[in-house]
Amino acid sequence: MSTNLLNEQEKRYRNLDFAVQIKKDNLALLEHFIESEKEAREHHFQGQFFPFYHYEIDRVMKTKMAKIPNEIIHLAYYYRLKLGTIDKPLPQYFSLFLQAVEKNIVDNDWDNSYLSADKIYLLFGITNSDEAKNVHNITHEEYASLLNFLILCSNYTNFPNLRKKAIRFLPFLENTTLMKRIHEGFSLHFDSNFTTAGSLVVLLLDTKQSSKDILFSFHQNKLENTTVWLLGSFYKDFQKTDLNKHLLKDLYERYPKEWIDEYQPKKWI
C-alpha cells in the first residue's frame, strides 16, 4: 500500500507539465507539500513533493504570504518542523509558527522527526511534551537571536574550522537566555554535533567562573573516551586563560592521557 502511494506521488510530482504550473502558484506549492507529507506520515514513507520542490517551498515561506490562509501557513510550518526545517517567520506569523512547534512537541514525535531535542531545548527551554505550552513564552526577537546561534553552529562542516572562527560566537555571551540554557542543559544534551560544539565554544569564551563550573562538573560523569577526546580537542585551542588551562589539567587528571591526545573514533553499534 505505502509503496504504491509513494510511487504515485513520485510519478505525479516528476511530471514536467505539473512542475511548470506549480512553480507559478505559491498557494498550490504549500497545499501540495502539506498533502504529500500528511499522506506520507499516515502510511510511513517519505513524502515525494518536498525533495522535488524544497527550494520553491523555502522561497514561499520567506515571502509575506499575503494571499495564503493562516491554516495553510500553520500546517506548512508544522510539516517543515517534522523534516527538521526551523523557520525564522515574519512577526505576523510568529504565533502560527509557535502553534506548529507546540503541536510537534505534543505529538511526541521526536524519534520520527529530524527536529532534535537539543535544538528544541535551546530555542524554547522545552525538555518534554508536558512543557509544550511554554513555547509561547518567547518573543519574536528572543527567538530570532537564539535561532541565529543554531544557524551559526550549522554553518561549519568540521570542528577545527568552528574553533578557528570562535570570535563569531562572542556576541552570544550577552544573550542571558542562551547562556542559562547552555548552563542548565549542557550535560543533558551533550553530543558530538555542531550545537554542542558551539555551546562548548561559548563556555570556553566566557570569562565567568560559572561557565567553567559547568564543565568541571561534567568531567565528574565518568565520560566515555570519545567524549573526553572531544572536550580535550576544544580545550587545547582555548588555553589563553588560567581557567581554561585548569579545565584541561583537570581532564588529564581524571582520564587516560591517550584519550585526550589520540583521536578516539566513535563506535557505532
Side-chain angles (χ1 to χ4, degrees):
M1 175 64 174
S2 62
T3 301
N4 290 338
L5 290 173
L6 187 152
N7 290 337
E8 288 174 10
Q9 281 200 13
E10 185 173 1
K11 182 179 179 180
R12 185 188 320 151
Y13 300 138
R14 276 186 179 276
N15 184 283
L16 291 179
D17 290 335
F18 173 84
V20 170
Q21 294 177 4
I22 199 71
K23 289 183 180 181
K24 299 177 182 179
D25 191 333
N26 288 353
L27 174 59
L29 275 165
L30 296 190
E31 288 177 330
H32 278 282
F33 166 59
I34 293 165
E35 178 185 359
S36 169
E37 288 301 314
K38 183 175 184 295
E39 182 177 61
R41 293 267 165 189
E42 290 173 351
H43 297 280
H44 310 291
F45 66 91
Q46 168 64 59
Q48 293 301 292
F49 187 81
F50 184 77
F52 291 124
Y53 298 99
H54 60 96
Y55 289 119
E56 287 79 7
I57 297 169
D58 285 344
R59 175 187 59 77
V60 174
M61 298 303 291
K62 292 175 183 177
T63 67
K64 293 182 179 180
M65 298 188 283
K67 297 181 180 180
I68 299 177
N70 283 350
E71 180 59 20
I72 297 298
I73 296 171
H74 164 71
L75 287 172
Y77 285 138
Y78 174 74
Y79 284 112
R80 279 165 67 80
L81 284 164
K82 287 196 176 299
L83 292 171
T85 300
I86 306 176
D87 286 293
K88 185 185 285 187
L90 295 174
Q92 61 265 39
Y93 299 128
F94 190 50
S95 62
L96 294 175
F97 172 73
L98 293 180
Q99 290 169 27
V101 174
E102 180 183 2
K103 182 169 171 55
N104 265 273
I105 294 170
V106 170
D107 287 349
N108 198 22
D109 193 31
W110 292 350
D111 291 338
N112 298 313
S113 168
Y114 294 106
L115 190 61
S116 60
D118 61 335
K119 292 179 180 178
I120 286 291
Y121 169 73
L122 281 178
L123 288 172
F124 305 105
I126 303 298
T127 57
N128 58 68
S129 57
D130 292 336
E131 301 172 342
K133 289 185 178 180
N134 292 344
V135 302
H136 299 281
N137 295 336
I138 192 172
T139 67
H140 185 268
E141 184 179 4
E142 289 170 334
Y143 170 78
S145 179
L146 293 166
L147 183 60
N148 285 341
F149 171 76
L150 292 180
I151 291 172
L152 179 59
C153 293
S154 67
N155 281 344
Y156 298 94
T157 57
N158 61 73
F159 293 154
N161 279 343
L162 184 147
R163 295 195 294 266
K164 288 177 184 176
K165 303 293 179 63
I167 192 172
R168 295 181 178 179
F169 288 87
L170 276 173
F172 293 105
L173 295 177
E174 305 302 319
N175 189 320
T176 55
T177 300
L178 176 66
M179 295 302 296
K180 184 175 186 292
R181 288 180 183 163
I182 290 176
H183 279 200
E184 295 180 354
F186 183 79
S187 180
L188 179 63
H189 294 288
F190 185 94
D191 200 356
S192 299
N193 59 32
F194 288 96
T195 304
T196 289
S199 299
L200 254 177
V201 166
V202 168
L203 291 174
L204 291 168
L205 286 173
D206 193 9
T207 57
K208 296 184 179 68
Q209 180 68 48
S210 57
S211 286
K212 315 307 173 183
D213 288 342
I214 298 302
L215 295 169
F216 279 122
S217 177
F218 188 59
H219 292 177
Q220 301 174 25
N221 290 338
K222 295 184 179 179
L223 305 174
E224 295 182 354
N225 60 324
T226 51
T227 299
V228 173
W229 177 83
L230 180 61
L231 289 171
S233 67
F234 275 77
Y235 292 173
K236 289 176 182 179
D237 280 356
F238 291 85
Q239 290 295 290
K240 292 183 179 180
T241 66
D242 288 339
L243 285 174
N244 287 346
K245 290 177 182 178
H246 290 157
L247 282 170
L248 184 58
K249 182 175 181 293
D250 186 68
L251 203 64
Y252 275 117
E253 290 174 350
R254 291 179 183 274
Y255 297 97
K257 184 176 183 294
E258 59 270 19
W259 286 16
I260 303 168
D261 293 341
E262 300 174 14
Y263 172 63
Q264 303 291 311
K266 191 174 182 63
K267 296 180 180 179
W268 302 99
I269 298 176

